[in-house]
Amino acid sequence: MRTRAVLGSLFASTAVLVVGWQAGGAVLANQAIGTTTSAPQASGTSGTTAATVPSATPLPSATATAAPVAAGPADGTYTGSSVNTPFGSVQVAVTLSGGTITDVTAVHLTDADGRSRQISNYAAPMLRSEVLSSQSAHVSNVGGATYTTRGYLQSVQSALDQAGF
Amino acid sequence: MRHVFETMGTVASIELPTGWGPALVMPVFAAIDERFSLYRPDSELSRIADGRASLTTSSDTMRASYARAVDWRALTGGLFSPHRPDGVLDLNGIVKAEAIEQAGVLLDATGCPTWSINVGGDILVSGGPWPTGVVDPSDPTALLCSVLLGDPRRALATSGSAQRGDHIWLGGSRALAEFVQVSVAANDIVTADVLATAIIAGGRDALDDITDRWDVDVFAVDRSGALAATPGFRRALVGA
């Protein structure tokens, strides 16, 4: 599974080059950014598969230099056509802003057995500092592993309930 | 208004609009507790568990819950199971979520416009969005983060390997769980609860498999305290 993910990423990276080149010619249909909301950022995938970092990182800058800024394509998210590989079909989307690729997402990867894989939904590492700002929010409920009646008395939920939320 | 009562060995905290009372849903929890509790020697499940009664001749309600649990066992490759390692039937892993689900259906059916149900840390809401905290497994008095729950992500269930965790069996092995706490946000509470349990039991491999196969958002804390989250969970963070 992990090997496939790496291979899939490599093929996706190859496809990025192709899509990036095509986007320069503005031959791809411009799609609403909302269509890629379930897809990951390129940096997000790196947390799951370290091997994607070396292949994915250099690509946007390489493509950006290839695309002349003056005659560049319009800003937006471009979805490439599906590319068939020995490991299944691969489709990626790139987001362009000011002639530079700002985001690359895998729209679709398919295993050799034909099962669609949403690699976009993998849980990636997150720093505590990234969630700090949400900690201070006023909450109406607190989720946690099942507490007993006794455990409840020490819980944050109990404090909320006493305050009448 | 907030209504708090004990049920199923834990505490239910239910928020209802003014004019709505908890009397509507309390019988739902009482009936399920009476039938499924293994702490009540004469509950239907206790009588099946110790051989005084047979599952095959049990109530439709019992067999429906059992069938649902068996379906989930198959879907999770056995990570979720309706049986304890000693073979005793134990449906605690699913009946609390089913009780929350039924209470929610009842509130919706009576036209209650907005509500939240929290039973022992598992939450289902209607309306909203409801800012909802996730507790820090290393400090029960602190929150790790807060997320917005609301349509369609109405359910948040959390399983832990450090606390009671009495419906989580790590395949009979003595290996420590990779995650100490896993929260799953889903569109329904049973899916959220079962999959949180399965990820605790199956670790990182189960996390990757489940986020691949189900439309859920996951927030996991491993033994070293490191955090991992799916993109959807990050987007749901309050202030994100």
Side-chain angles (χ1 to χ4, degrees), chain A residues 68-119:
Chain A
V69 175
D75 290 355
T77 298
Y78 296 82
T79 302
S81 54
S82 187
V83 177
N84 286 316
T85 77
F87 299 92
S89 61
V90 176
Q91 188 176 24
V92 300
V94 296
T95 300
L96 296 183
S97 179
T100 304
I101 293 179
T102 56
D103 194 14
V104 180
T105 58
V107 176
H108 184 247
L109 290 183
T110 303
D111 265 351
D113 60 8
R115 192 165 66 90
S116 174
R117 294 182 55 79
Q118 295 183 326
I119 63 162

Side-chain angles (χ1 to χ4, degrees), chain B residues 106-121:
Chain B
L106 193 57
L107 286 170
D108 280 344
T110 52
C112 187
T114 177
W115 47 262
S116 83
I117 301 172
N118 181 358
V119 181

Side-chain angles (χ1 to χ4, degrees), chain B residues 7-144:
Chain B
T7 185
M8 301 178 163
T10 183
V11 176
S13 304
I14 298 182
E15 178 72 24
L16 298 171
T18 306
W20 296 79
L24 187 64
V25 294
M26 286 174 77
V28 171
F29 294 100
I32 290 178
D33 192 37
E34 198 168 317
R35 188 186 299 277
F36 290 95
S37 175
L38 287 175
Y39 296 96
R40 295 168 182 260
D42 283 321
S43 75
E44 186 179 4
L45 190 60
S46 285
R47 284 184 279 117
I48 293 169
D50 65 17
R52 280 178 289 161
S54 162
L55 183 63
T56 53
T57 57
S58 64
S59 64
D60 290 349
T61 307
M62 179 65 63
R63 281 182 288 125
S65 288
Y66 178 73
R68 198 172 184 185
V70 168
D71 283 346
W72 277 112
R73 179 175 65 192
L75 288 168
T76 60
L79 292 176
F80 176 88
S81 174
H83 295 278
R84 300 198 315 227
D86 59 7
V88 170
L89 183 63
D90 181 355
L91 296 174
N92 276 311
I94 199 166
V95 294
K96 187 177 71 170
E98 285 192 317
I100 296 172
E101 180 180 62
Q102 287 177 28
V105 167
L106 193 57
L107 286 170
D108 280 344
T110 52
C112 187
T114 177
W115 47 262
S116 83
I117 301 172
N118 181 358
V119 181
D122 292 336
I123 299 161
L124 181 68
V125 303
S126 168
W130 296 81
T132 304
V134 176
V135 78
D136 186 341
S138 63
D139 179 3
T141 65
L143 301 183
L144 266 184

Side-chain angles (χ1 to χ4, degrees), chain A residues 37 117-118 120-126 128 130-131 134-135 139-144 146-147 149 156-157 161 165, chain B residues 2 6 9-10 13 15 96 116 118 120-121 131 133 135 143-144 146 204 208 211-212 216 225 227 229-230 234-235:
Chain A
T37 49
R117 294 182 55 79
Q118 295 183 326
S120 55
N121 203 29
Y122 276 129
M126 183 166 62
R128 288 198 177 223
E130 293 179 65
V131 297
S134 75
Q135 286 174 327
V139 297
S140 48
N141 278 297
V142 176
T146 304
Y147 42 73
T149 301
V156 184
Q157 183 67 39
D161 292 342
F165 154 49
Chain B
R2 186 58 53 104
E6 288 187 44
T10 183
S13 304
E15 178 72 24
K96 187 177 71 170
S116 83
N118 181 358
V135 78
L143 301 183
L144 266 184
S146 305
R204 183 78 213 189
D208 288 346
T211 55
D212 181 32
V216 293
L227 313 177
T230 57
R234 286 167 183 256
R235 283 194 298 273

